[in-house]
Amino acid sequence: MIDGKTSSQEASEKFEDLGFAKLDTDRKERTGFAEVVFCQGKDDSFLTQIFKKLFEKNGEVLGTRATEAQAELLKKTFPDLTYDKVSRIIRIEKSQKEKKEQIGKIAVCCAGTADIPVAEEAAQTAEFFGSRVERIYDVGVSGIHRLLSKTPELNSANCVVAVAGMEGALASVLGGLVSVPIIAVPTSVGYGASFNGLSALLTMLNSCSNGISVVNIDNGYGAGYLATQINRLAVNGSTKGK
């Protein structure tokens, strides 16, 4: 770097060009998190090569939106791979025998059991990146006493992920109950007028409750990533959730 500018040579050393993909091998140094693989739609050969290179660089790999067939394919190269059918998460970790340290606390909530796949994508992403996660499932507003019974657990977290389809009211209710940031995740669960998650998305964006951020429809990964960033900051700056 000269005069605050990165040369083309320096830039080219921060990614690995596979021809069909340019892997951001410098990402962990810049952001604290290594590149994650979005598996959906990827050619089998491309997927295998990407996982191999990222594993060589980082010693672990997280894959999202993977099919069972893709998991079986990758198991031929990575026999210790774990695959969760619900969240469609692939995890290849440094050691299956050693439990990764989990710091702080993130509460992942979902309104109904149909929302669990997205909630699990968020939870498992956060766990992969080293956060401790408490799952609070099936606490939608149609039986709000179920949610209210969990208020102490919610208030002991450093942030809350609220996953909901239908009209997406869960995030607004949580915003009036807790003192920590809320990450709202609209899901595509619902009948016709929910418009595949658009209704929940608009509800969350228009919430009158404070402290709510919103990610894209069904984007559990994005919520888990952001929650981990908030959790890390909280652990470094306070004793809550330790």
Side-chain angles (χ1 to χ4, degrees):
M1 182 176 290
I2 302 173
D3 297 329
K5 297 180 180 179
T6 302
S7 69
S8 59
Q9 181 179 350
E10 288 173 324
S12 66
E13 292 172 353
K14 296 181 183 298
F15 66 88
E16 180 147 358
D17 193 344
L18 301 181
F20 57 86
K22 294 178 176 59
L23 301 185
D24 189 0
T25 53
D26 186 57
R27 187 174 301 182
K28 189 171 185 178
E29 283 68 31
R30 297 194 321 272
T31 69
F33 301 91
E35 185 170 9
V36 171
V37 184
F38 181 77
C39 301
Q40 184 176 313
K42 282 187 169 56
D43 176 85
D44 287 352
S45 174
F46 294 168
L47 188 69
T48 301
Q49 292 180 68
I50 289 169
F51 267 79
K52 282 181 178 178
K53 288 296 181 181
L54 289 177
F55 185 77
E56 287 174 11
K57 171 66 178 177
N58 303 306
E60 59 181 7
V61 190
L62 178 69
T64 66
R65 298 301 170 92
T67 65
E68 191 169 358
Q70 287 175 321
E72 290 301 318
L73 170 74
L74 290 168
K75 267 196 171 183
K76 296 175 183 178
T77 304
F78 303 99
D80 291 333
L81 171 152
T82 60
Y83 175 66
D84 180 65
K85 294 180 183 179
V86 175
S87 63
R88 294 181 286 168
I89 288 277
I90 286 175
R91 294 167 68 162
I92 304 173
E93 301 186 73
K94 293 181 179 180
S95 173
Q96 297 295 331
K97 296 178 182 179
E98 297 178 12
K99 189 175 181 181
K100 185 181 291 185
E101 181 185 5
Q102 309 290 310
I103 65 169
K105 180 181 173 182
I106 296 168
V108 176
C109 306
C110 72
T113 54
D115 300 309
I116 286 177
V118 177
E120 272 300 305
E121 186 179 64
Q124 294 196 35
T125 295
E127 288 174 337
F128 181 85
F129 286 129
S131 291
R132 180 163 61 95
V133 174
E134 178 163 355
R135 291 160 171 81
I136 303 174
Y137 290 172
D138 197 23
V139 288
V141 299
S142 60
I144 202 164
H145 53 288
R146 300 172 300 179
L147 179 64
L148 296 176
S149 72
K150 296 294 184 179
T151 302
E153 291 92 329
L154 292 165
N155 275 311
S156 67
N158 290 320
C159 67
V160 176
V161 176
V163 182
M166 299 289 187
E167 85 289 6
L170 179 62
S172 293
V173 174
L174 282 166
L177 291 176
V178 302
S179 62
V180 298
I182 295 169
I183 304 165
V185 190
T187 74
S188 51
V189 171
Y191 296 103
S194 68
F195 298 108
N196 293 316
L198 183 58
S199 176
L201 172 64
L202 293 176
T203 296
M204 291 169 173
L205 288 171
N206 286 284
S207 176
C208 65
S209 295
N210 298 313
I212 298 174
S213 63
V214 186
V215 299
N216 206 350
I217 297 169
D218 292 335
N219 187 12
Y221 164 74
Y225 187 106
L226 179 57
T228 298
Q229 289 181 307
I230 294 170
N231 186 48
R232 285 185 176 185
L233 290 171
V235 169
N236 291 334
S238 74
T239 58
K240 178 183 279 192
K242 288 187 178 180

